[in-house]
Amino acid sequence: MSSTVEIINDVSRWLNYVLAIPMISFGIIGAILTIILFMEQRSFHRNPTIIYLLAGAIMTAIHLPSIYFQSILVDGFDLGLFNTNEMACRERNYLFYVTTVAAISYPCWAAFDQYASTHRQASFRYFYSSIQFARLAIFGTVIFWAIVYSPLIFISRSIDGNCIILNGPLRIIHAFVLTPIVFIMGPIVLITGFTLGTIRNLRSTAFAYRHDRLTKQIRRMLIPQLIILAIFGVPFGINSVYDDITNQIPKDPLRKAIEHLIAQITRLIYHVIFVSTFYIYLYMSTEMRKLMMRVFIKYFHRNRVEPFNTSFNKPITIQMNKLITTDN
């Protein structure tokens, strides 16, 4: 059995070497490029859906290097600080959930904006599909989740080399209320509801021809991201609930190794949500590809300045004109 446990643990470590490190690298690069492209295009600044997606990219750029990278260090290299330091454990658990949930909230807000922008009531459209409301929603989302997950600061502990959440009422609320709602039911319900509502609104003749090419491009970018968010979050949420249910059950080394491997796989699947967004945008939108080329030319292409008449096989002729003056 010991050899089997060692093999499973080796597989878990190699998942970090082979998949997790390339994923986080591509994810950080994609998030930075998304921020650059969205900030570069001025027409994007007037679109609330793009503002939400930009906020999601910023949160992803924070989450991947500061939170997910810590997990890779722990599981792949046994170098994690949060497993041995109590303050680091509290910080990690708190920021993990705040940044993760905020990052997945912004695509849901973008789906809401698509619904609001196609709503039949003009007052509803002008208020909820506006830049002012988008900014309020972005900052309000961070503040809301920061308050909701603040108890994790007080119930997280580093015990026997493991960063855990202490048993009690707050853990029960976190495990059996927040986690299923946030990672499983919430995204599916919100995305499905807003998408169906948008489709219903678009069937109205009043909106049949009112959406320009950019709006259609944005919708093409958003829909695959929402599908991935709704599907890929389910395994992570189920595994998190399972870990909390079986937390007090004695487990042999083999079971621990198998459960750890499954946790690694579900975490990799879940982070596809963060890693894939930029590449979805680039694949689905011709506007993004054109913008990418313009930015590349602007920042990386160097114009070569060549001297006039650089041919060496032709003589250079200088013509002198004589100035003739007449005296009065």
Side-chain angles (χ1 to χ4, degrees):
M1 180 181 293
S2 60
S3 61
T4 304
V5 173
E6 292 176 0
I7 292 173
I8 295 174
N9 289 331
D10 288 340
V11 172
S12 298
R13 282 192 293 270
W14 276 98
L15 283 177
N16 288 275
Y17 304 151
V18 178
L19 294 179
I21 293 177
M23 279 182 62
I24 194 174
S25 301
F26 282 109
I28 293 172
I29 293 171
I32 294 173
L33 288 175
T34 301
I35 295 169
I36 293 173
L37 296 182
F38 284 179
M39 294 296 293
E40 185 73 19
Q41 186 71 1
R42 292 186 177 181
S43 62
F44 287 178
H45 302 174
R46 301 187 297 270
N47 192 293
T49 299
I50 291 293
I51 299 299
Y52 289 125
L53 298 182
L54 174 61
I58 294 173
M59 196 60 65
T60 298
I62 296 172
H63 171 81
L64 289 178
S66 63
I67 305 300
Y68 188 30
F69 186 65
Q70 291 187 46
S71 300
I72 293 174
L73 291 178
V74 170
D75 297 318
F77 302 92
D78 296 326
L79 295 176
L81 177 64
F82 64 81
N83 272 0
T84 56
N85 183 280
E86 188 162 304
M87 291 302 296
C89 172
R90 295 181 180 185
E91 171 265 335
R92 186 264 177 187
N93 280 349
Y94 177 66
L95 291 182
F96 171 81
Y97 284 100
V98 172
T99 58
T100 301
V101 179
I104 65 177
S105 296
Y106 294 130
C108 295
W109 277 115
F112 168 76
D113 182 71
Q114 290 294 302
Y115 168 75
S117 65
T118 58
H119 201 274
R120 296 178 181 179
Q121 295 183 3
S123 59
F124 190 94
R125 293 197 306 272
Y126 294 148
F127 180 78
Y128 289 106
S129 183
S130 63
I131 299 298
Q132 292 78 9
F133 181 82
R135 291 171 179 169
L136 179 64
I138 288 169
F139 290 106
T141 297
V142 176
I143 295 171
F144 176 77
W145 292 122
I147 294 173
V148 168
Y149 283 103
S150 59
L152 290 178
I153 299 174
F154 306 101
I155 63 175
S156 297
R157 293 290 187 276
S158 178
I159 299 176
D160 297 330
N162 293 304
C163 181
I164 64 172
I165 300 175
L166 298 178
N167 293 322
L170 293 177
R171 179 190 174 93
I172 294 174
I173 295 173
H174 167 76
F176 303 111
V177 179
L178 279 178
T179 298
I181 291 176
V182 169
F183 294 104
I184 302 175
M185 295 181 293
I188 293 176
V189 171
L190 292 176
I191 290 170
T192 303
F194 291 141
T195 301
L196 293 177
T198 302
I199 294 173
R200 184 175 61 251
N201 293 338
L202 289 173
R203 288 175 178 174
S204 171
T205 56
F207 290 96
Y209 302 101
R210 289 183 57 178
H211 291 85
D212 56 16
R213 186 169 181 267
L214 176 60
T215 303
K216 295 177 181 179
Q217 291 280 312
I218 293 171
R219 194 169 294 124
R220 281 172 55 87
M221 293 159 49
L222 180 61
I223 291 176
Q225 182 183 2
L226 295 177
I227 294 173
I228 291 176
L229 173 59
I231 295 175
F232 283 39
V234 174
F236 179 80
I238 293 175
N239 185 73
S240 299
V241 173
Y242 170 81
D243 287 341
D244 288 309
I245 293 175
T246 63
N247 181 55
Q248 301 298 320
I249 298 177
K251 302 175 183 178
D252 57 49
L254 179 60
R255 180 172 177 177
K256 289 181 179 179
I258 294 173
E259 291 182 354
H260 181 66
L261 176 60
I262 294 174
Q264 294 288 309
I265 295 173
T266 56
R267 189 175 64 187
L268 283 169
I269 293 173
Y270 183 70
H271 278 86
V272 171
I273 297 171
F274 303 95
V275 174
S276 63
T277 51
F278 169 74
Y279 307 99
I280 290 173
Y281 300 159
L282 204 62
Y283 178 77
M284 297 299 296
S285 172
T286 56
E287 293 294 330
M288 285 290 290
R289 293 194 292 272
K290 292 178 182 178
L291 180 59
M292 181 71 178
M293 290 301 299
R294 289 200 300 269
V295 170
F296 179 82
I297 293 172
K298 178 180 179 180
Y299 290 102
F300 297 102
H301 182 70
R302 296 292 182 266
N303 293 324
R304 294 180 298 174
V305 180
E306 297 182 357
F308 180 75
N309 193 4
T310 59
S311 176
F312 290 97
N313 58 356
K314 295 181 180 179
I316 299 177
T317 303
I318 301 177
Q319 182 177 357
M320 302 292 293
N321 293 325
K322 184 177 179 180
L323 180 65
I324 302 175
T325 60
T326 58
D327 296 330
N328 292 330

